[in-house]
Amino acid sequence: MMLKFAYRGVRAVSLARMNILALAQQRDTASSTDSHQHHGVGNVDSSLVKDAVGRLSHSTKPVTAVMDSNQYRFLSTGRSQAAESEPQSAAAKPETTVPAKPVASGPLSLLPGVALSMGLMYGGFELASVLGKELMALQGLTEVAKSPISGVSMAILLGMALKNMPLTLPTRVNPGIALCKDKALKAGIMCVGAKLSLMDIAQVGLVGIPVVGLTVATGLTVAPMFGRWFGLTDKMSSLIATGTSICGVTAISALAPTIKASEQETAFAIANVVAFGTINMLATPYIAHAVFENSTSVGVFLGLAVHDTAQVVGSALTYKEMFGDQVAFQTAVLTKLTRNILLAGVIPYMAYKHARLDQQAEAAAAAGAKGASTGGLKDASAMTTPPDMGAFALLKKYTPAFVLGFLGMSVVRSVGDASVAEFGQAFGVLDPHLWKSTVNFIGDDVGSRYLLGTAMAAVGLSTSFTALKAVGWRPFAVGLSAAMVVSTTGFLGASAIPIVQSYLGQGIV
């Protein structure tokens, strides 16, 4: 009798074990499959055990099942014949699909990243205001209305600092940061166009315009040469050249998305403008006072030798307060505005230049891949030259839409200023004061401050110090070389102004 009960107990345990494994196989999970194949039933989910035991305990029939040879072999070895014959390849194993965590979508998903970028923008401008006032106070100037330090550059530095802290930013900020780097940046560039008026060029005079053009052309030509010598990418060299030659951070911010530059390339270019522009801002007022004897030359030199618009205003304000020269201050500001106007032509040119370089690289890569079958690259050389097309088609192909918006805003500003000068009202409707305040709000506040500041903070939040370390000191060598060439060209041009004025019979101021 005892042997009979023992035999039935063994059979019950065996059937329970088989039921557990059958249920586990039905669940079709990777963890249970691995447990059956390699560890028997020892690691099976406890819920399966309860389910199988429940089936046996609620059964009203006696245990009469007889194990066949395959079942007996399974019980003795921990593997069933079916498990042994199951394909072991990864492709044959059932895949487990882990339900993904729901990701927020819609406008609300953008809010964290946008709020973070805007917060850094506000912090950057506040930091720039404090540092700028302290910097001017070191020179004895306490009443300064505008900081000589760009808030946009401080915003990107704060973003980089936060990005590279030991803490990890939550992933929910990424959609908003991406929006700021793209849409906000392009909208800001279009708004900045409202700051540029062709009427400003007329105020510089026939003597100043050639000097400005020569200085900008020299910087745009020489800086890429230095970039190639030091092994920089074409895009980084163009960013440094444009920022150094034209208008600093604004030029870099406008050009970066046009040529599809990376965050690292943009960050290095802005760092160059901040570093060498600040050095020039502090040094040039005293150099100008020691060298030049007329106010026009001083103003032209300050307007050409310093990079960013805020830095030019700072250096000109220093000269005005230290040496009491209002004419030099006004000339410096007008000279800088003339440089800024050239951005309207440089951006489309750079867009075409880099589109052509990209096309040549793609054609060369395609020809290289085909070289084995064609016997060389000779026949593929024609692919590196873009096809001839009309001016409008060329502009449409290589100029992004936001650059056209930037140009359009500049045209509107120029026409409005011209109508004010001619008829006393902008477009015959707006009062001159209202027109001036409107374009300044769009260009300075909305464009340069809120949109570009927020966009550059987002760029900083996407820039890793690790990537910057890989490039090293070379961008700063290029930036220093370019700054020295542009400053020297500006110095020589400003020195020639009295000679040209004397030759033309104009009075020397």
Side-chain angles (χ1 to χ4, degrees), residues 18-343:
M18 292 172 61
N19 278 327
I20 291 170
L21 293 174
L23 290 172
Q25 189 173 8
Q26 290 175 3
R27 291 284 182 91
D28 197 25
T29 60
S31 58
S32 61
T33 301
D34 291 340
S35 299
H36 305 157
Q37 293 179 354
H38 301 294
H39 305 293
V41 63
N43 295 327
V44 175
D45 192 345
S46 60
S47 64
L48 301 178
V49 177
K50 292 179 181 179
D51 196 356
V53 173
R55 290 188 180 189
L56 290 175
S57 63
H58 289 83
S59 176
T60 57
K61 296 181 180 181
V63 181
T64 57
V66 178
M67 294 180 291
D68 60 17
S69 59
N70 287 335
Q71 293 170 342
Y72 178 80
R73 184 166 65 254
F74 172 79
L75 291 175
S76 61
T77 62
R79 295 178 60 91
S80 67
Q81 187 178 24
E84 288 178 349
S85 62
E86 181 181 356
Q88 298 299 313
S89 63
K93 289 185 179 180
E95 295 182 358
T96 302
T97 303
V98 180
K101 218 174 178 182
V103 180
S105 59
L108 290 180
S109 66
L110 304 174
L111 186 59
V114 172
L116 177 60
S117 300
M118 291 190 68
L120 292 174
M121 176 271 294
Y122 278 108
F125 275 89
E126 288 299 320
L127 179 61
S129 178
V130 172
L131 294 179
K133 290 179 179 178
E134 292 295 327
L135 190 61
M136 300 302 285
L138 292 177
Q139 304 177 75
L141 305 177
T142 55
E143 299 296 329
V144 179
K146 186 175 181 180
S147 172
I149 297 178
S150 170
V152 174
S153 61
M154 292 297 102
I156 192 173
L157 291 178
L158 288 180
M160 291 172 62
L162 183 59
K163 166 69 175 179
N164 293 277
M165 289 179 67
L167 58 89
T168 302
L169 293 175
T171 56
R172 63 177 177 270
V173 303
N174 293 339
I177 291 175
L179 176 75
C180 293
K181 289 193 302 180
D182 183 26
K183 306 300 183 184
L185 178 57
K186 293 175 181 178
I189 293 168
M190 289 190 289
C191 291
V192 166
K195 299 172 62 175
L196 309 180
S197 174
L198 293 175
M199 297 297 292
D200 294 330
I201 295 181
Q203 299 181 48
V204 177
L206 295 177
V207 177
I209 293 175
V211 176
V212 172
L214 177 63
T215 303
V216 171
T218 301
L220 293 175
T221 303
V222 173
M225 293 173 55
F226 287 132
R228 287 192 292 271
W229 292 345
F230 283 95
L232 300 187
T233 63
D234 292 327
K235 293 179 180 179
M236 185 182 292
S237 299
S238 294
L239 290 173
I240 294 174
T242 306
T244 303
S245 304
I246 301 181
C247 54
V249 174
T250 302
I252 294 170
S253 303
L255 182 60
T258 305
I259 62 175
K260 299 179 177 61
S262 67
E263 286 87 359
Q264 289 76 20
E265 291 167 331
T266 304
F268 263 118
I270 290 179
N272 270 281
V273 168
V274 172
F276 301 119
T278 301
I279 293 173
N280 279 1
M281 178 189 71
L282 297 175
T284 51
Y286 303 99
I287 295 174
H289 180 70
V291 174
F292 298 112
E293 297 180 355
N294 68 84
S295 299
T296 302
S297 295
V298 171
V300 170
F301 174 62
L302 296 179
L304 293 176
V306 187
H307 300 353
D308 198 77
T309 302
Q311 295 167 344
V312 170
V313 173
S315 65
L317 183 62
T318 298
Y319 191 90
K320 171 190 170 185
E321 297 296 329
M322 297 294 292
F323 307 110
D325 195 334
Q326 179 69 24
V327 174
F329 176 82
Q330 294 176 343
T331 304
V333 173
L334 290 174
T335 302
K336 186 67 181 70
L337 291 176
T338 304
R339 286 173 66 190
N340 294 353
I341 283 291
L342 298 180
L343 184 64

Side-chain angles (χ1 to χ4, degrees), residues 194 430-444 446:
L430 297 177
D431 175 81
H433 177 72
L434 178 60
W435 167 250
K436 192 74 172 179
S437 61
T438 300
V439 293
N440 286 342
F441 173 74
I442 295 174
D444 292 328
V446 177

Side-chain angles (χ1 to χ4, degrees), residues 462-477:
S462 306
T463 304
S464 170
F465 285 156
T466 303
L468 299 182
K469 289 179 183 178
V471 183
W473 55 270
R474 293 173 296 163
F476 294 100

